[in-house]
Amino acid sequence: MSQGTNRHRRRFLGGAVMTVAVAQFGVSNPAAAQSGSARPTSVLSTNPARDTTFASLKQVDAGVLNVGYAEAGPVDGPAVLLLHGWPYDIHSYVDVAPLLASAGYRVIVPYLRGYGTTRFLSSDTLRNGQPSALAVDIVALMDALKIEKATLAGYDWGARTANIIAALWPERCKAMVSVSGYLIGSQEAGSMPLPPQAELQWWYQFYFATDRGRAGYDKYRHDFSRLIWQLASPKWAFDDATFDRSAAAFDNPDHVSIVIHNYRWRLGLAQGEPKYDALEKRLAEFPVITVPTITLEGDANGAPHPEPAAYAKKFSGPYEHRNVTGGIGHNLPQEAPQAFAQAVVDVAEI
C-alpha cells in the first residue's frame, strides 16, 4: 500500500499523537495480497477518551427510509461511512468516530433499517432484510447527504453491506475496511450444507427459521442479543451500561421483522423483492472487489467467519489483511477502536 501522506494525515499529525503499538495489533499479508510491505503499526491514539454516546442524532429521508445517523467531523472532509452489524448498533463506533473526525474526516454512522431511530416511510413497504436492500439503503443515504464517494467500513451486516456497494457500485466507494473479509453470499450458497461443527455456529439461523424462534427473539430480544455478544466476543468484558446503550436500538418496531427476514432469506425460506433480483443475480456470481481494501480479523472472534486465505483473491485492487490481537472479538471497532480507525485512515489515503 502507498506510504504517502496527504493533507488529512498531516493535519492530524499536527494535533494528535502517533505512537508505535506493536502489542495492539499485528499486520499480516496473505500471499495473494496486492500490497507490498505492510504499513507501520502506528495507531491514531493509544489512550483515546472513552465516549459514552454521540452528541446528537440527525434524521434524513433516503430511499424508502427516514434514516437516523450520527455525524462527526468537518462537513467538507472526505466522507467515511461506518456500518454496524447485528445485534449491535451505531455505538460500535462511539470511540472510532472522534478519532476519524479529529483526523479531518466527515464521519457518518447510520442506523440500519430496523434499528434505532431509522423508520420506514410507508407502512406498506415490505420489511425486507435481504443484503442487497441494505446496500441500496446506504447508497440512497449517500445520495440524500450529497456524498458522491466515500470510504466504507463495517463488520458483520455492515461489512457485508460495504462489500456489496464496493462490488456493485465501485464508483461510490473510494476504499473499504471489512472485518472478516469478503462476505458476499447468495441464497444458492446459503442452501449448501456445511460440516456439523460449522452448522453448529449458525444455531440462531435455524432457530429464526421457526415460528417459535421469531416469537422467542421478539420476547427475549435483549437477553438473546446479550448472549450473542458473549458468544461472539468471549474475551470482551463489556458492562451492563455498554450493552444497554446499544440494546435500546433493538426496540425499533421493525427490528424483529428485519432480523428474521434476513436470516430466513439467506436460507431460501423467505422471498425478497423483485426489484432486487438483478442485483442478487450479480452478487450470486461473487464479483471481485476492485477498490482498495484492508480486511481485519480479531484473534478471539467467536462468530462464524472465514479464514483470510479463503478470500484474499476476491480483492484485486490494493489489499492488505491485518490480524488484531489482544482478545479481540466480533465487534472489532468497539473492542479495538484504534486499530479500526487506523485501518480506515490508511486505506483512505491510497
Side-chain angles (χ1 to χ4, degrees), residues 4-51:
T5 59
N6 63 13
R7 62 186 179 89
H8 307 293
R9 171 61 64 83
R10 290 195 296 271
R11 181 191 309 170
F12 185 75
L13 283 171
V17 178
M18 297 290 286
T19 63
V20 175
V22 175
Q24 174 70 18
F25 63 91
V27 178
S28 63
N29 289 317
Q34 300 300 309
S35 58
S37 60
R39 297 186 67 92
T41 56
S42 59
V43 293
L44 293 166
S45 172
T46 54
N47 294 296
R50 305 299 292 183
D51 293 303

Side-chain angles (χ1 to χ4, degrees), residues 13-350:
L13 283 171
V17 178
M18 297 290 286
T19 63
V20 175
V22 175
Q24 174 70 18
F25 63 91
V27 178
S28 63
N29 289 317
Q34 300 300 309
S35 58
S37 60
R39 297 186 67 92
T41 56
S42 59
V43 293
L44 293 166
S45 172
T46 54
N47 294 296
R50 305 299 292 183
D51 293 303
T52 58
T53 189
F54 290 100
S56 62
L57 293 180
K58 299 180 179 181
Q59 299 287 144
V60 65
D61 287 350
V64 299
L65 301 172
N66 178 262
V67 179
Y69 66 99
E71 182 170 0
V75 295
D76 61 345
V80 174
L81 270 69
L82 305 177
L83 307 177
H84 70 81
W86 171 85
Y88 306 92
D89 83 324
I90 63 173
H91 290 95
S92 292
Y93 298 105
V94 73
D95 293 310
V96 172
L99 291 173
L100 296 176
S102 296
Y105 293 91
R106 181 188 182 188
V107 184
I108 306 294
V109 194
Y111 280 114
L112 302 182
R113 57 168 61 190
Y115 294 81
T117 61
T118 292
R119 298 289 188 274
F120 284 88
L121 294 174
S122 171
S123 59
D124 296 329
T125 303
L126 177 67
R127 272 38 180 177
N128 180 355
Q130 72 184 105
S132 60
L134 273 69
V136 169
D137 289 345
I138 299 304
V139 174
L141 175 63
M142 292 174 65
D143 290 342
L145 297 179
K146 296 181 171 54
I147 297 173
E148 183 62 30
K149 200 167 191 176
T151 296
L152 304 178
Y155 69 101
D156 196 82
W157 287 22
R160 182 174 293 107
T161 301
N163 280 197
I164 292 172
I165 296 172
L168 299 186
W169 299 282
E171 71 278 3
R172 306 301 299 271
C173 183
K174 181 181 186 299
M176 180 176 66
V177 172
S178 178
V179 176
S180 297
Y182 187 90
L183 298 177
I184 292 174
S186 69
Q187 285 187 317
E188 182 179 0
S191 69
M192 300 300 292
L194 301 172
Q197 189 66 30
E199 296 282 27
L200 179 63
Q201 291 186 296
W202 290 105
W203 63 272
Y204 54 87
Q205 184 170 244
F206 300 106
Y207 180 63
F208 289 162
T210 68
D211 290 340
R212 175 179 174 140
R214 181 190 176 97
Y217 186 61
D218 192 8
K219 183 176 181 179
Y220 300 110
R221 70 183 79 174
H222 287 203
D223 292 342
F224 195 102
S225 297
R226 190 181 185 103
L227 174 61
I228 295 296
W229 279 37
Q230 293 167 339
L231 294 175
S233 300
K235 296 185 179 181
W236 182 30
F238 60 87
D239 57 22
D240 290 344
T242 298
F243 174 76
D244 292 342
R245 181 181 59 188
S246 289
F250 312 148
D251 294 330
N252 182 295
D254 301 307
H255 178 73
V256 173
S257 295
I258 294 298
V259 171
I260 297 301
H261 186 268
N262 177 281
Y263 286 103
R264 290 184 180 181
W265 182 91
R266 294 194 206 184
L267 293 178
L269 301 176
Q271 296 300 311
E273 294 178 84
K275 65 181 179 179
Y276 300 116
D277 286 352
L279 298 180
E280 296 296 350
K281 183 177 180 180
R282 291 172 63 189
L283 294 173
E285 297 174 352
F286 299 100
V288 170
I289 292 174
T290 60
V291 305
T293 298
I294 292 177
T295 57
L296 301 173
E297 192 60 77
D299 64 339
N301 185 0
H305 61 278
E307 290 297 320
Y311 54 70
K313 292 182 179 180
K314 300 303 293 184
F315 301 98
S316 65
Y319 172 65
E320 181 181 342
H321 178 75
R322 297 179 179 180
N323 293 314
V324 185
T325 62
I328 304 304
H330 191 57
N331 186 1
L332 194 151
Q334 194 163 1
E335 298 175 58
Q338 300 100 317
F340 192 91
Q342 185 69 54
V344 173
V345 169
D346 290 346
V347 79
E349 292 181 357
I350 296 173

